[in-house]
Amino acid sequence: MPNLFQQLRPILQRSTGLVPRTHILIFTPMIVLACATVIYFSLHSLLADNRVKASLTDRFIKKSWYRLVYNVVAIGGLGLIGYLFLITEKQAVAPALLDSAIADLVGILMGLSGVFIGLAAFSNYDTAEFLGLQQLRNSEENTASLNTSGWNSIVRHPLYLATLLVLWGWFLLSPYDTVLLLAVFGSIYLYFGARLEEHKLIETFGNDYREYQKQVPMLIPRFTKWKKKTEKK
């Protein structure tokens, strides 16, 4: 079944004489993918902002439901980006990497490292609270504690580090323009998203978090600072 872009292309080609018909809209799916990615990352950060959260929970959403709704919106947005990615024509931007065994090996190692770090770091979080299920059972917000053990003892944002490794490992294995777009935009979002998140953490933990910032790097691990993971209570 032809996708939406394929259906619209002949109509728009006939309605314009600005460029040759064979070239019109060749980059439109890529532009849509780029715009959707920017909108998704912007919305994701906006909904995570404490002021936006307070405004929405005062007017539209119960506070106990907010985290769950936030996750549903995030998953739905990822699904849309995934669909746009699949229907967008891909072109190799680094053809030399396509037949490079070294690039494949490094890409696999980066991807597996990202998955390992992500799973290991995620185990240090309360899964029910992260998903928003704990908040449904208990509408009162839990008093958060600053997590500085395990992977958080060597890098402040281990989940972001894991995502970066997966994104760029994916690009080494599949060096196409669509993958590069997601890797670049994802990297920019993760950097600025980490900065925005740290403003909230400073509001929550104050000087304790500022000291943590001085001792532990944001995205590049310092393995000499490893501290044993604290058991979750």
Side-chain angles (χ1 to χ4, degrees), residues 53-151:
K53 177 181 177 181
S55 178
L56 291 175
T57 53
D58 284 343
R59 301 177 184 181
F60 304 108
I61 306 172
K62 280 187 175 182
K63 185 177 290 187
S64 58
W65 281 87
Y66 191 84
R67 180 70 190 188
L68 182 61
V69 171
Y70 177 83
N71 287 333
V72 170
V73 171
I75 293 171
L78 282 177
L80 175 59
I81 290 175
Y83 170 74
L84 293 173
F85 174 83
L86 290 175
I87 67 173
T88 300
E89 184 178 352
K90 300 164 182 61
Q91 295 182 357
V93 292
L97 296 178
L98 289 172
D99 299 317
S100 172
I102 295 178
D104 288 345
L105 178 60
V106 174
I108 291 171
L109 290 176
M110 288 178 66
L112 291 177
S113 297
V115 171
F116 172 78
I117 292 171
L119 292 174
F122 191 76
S123 68
N124 217 22
Y125 294 87
D126 185 323
T127 304
E129 184 177 356
F130 184 87
L131 295 176
L133 302 178
Q134 175 64 30
Q135 292 85 330
L136 296 179
R137 294 194 293 265
N138 181 13
S139 59
E140 295 183 2
E141 293 189 10
N142 296 328
T143 302
S145 58
L146 181 59
N147 180 11
T148 61
S149 63
W151 280 94

Side-chain angles (χ1 to χ4, degrees), residues 20-36:
R21 293 182 180 181
T22 56
H23 296 292
I24 185 116
L25 292 183
I26 189 170
F27 295 115
T28 297
M30 177 66 78
I31 293 173
V32 173
L33 176 61
C35 292

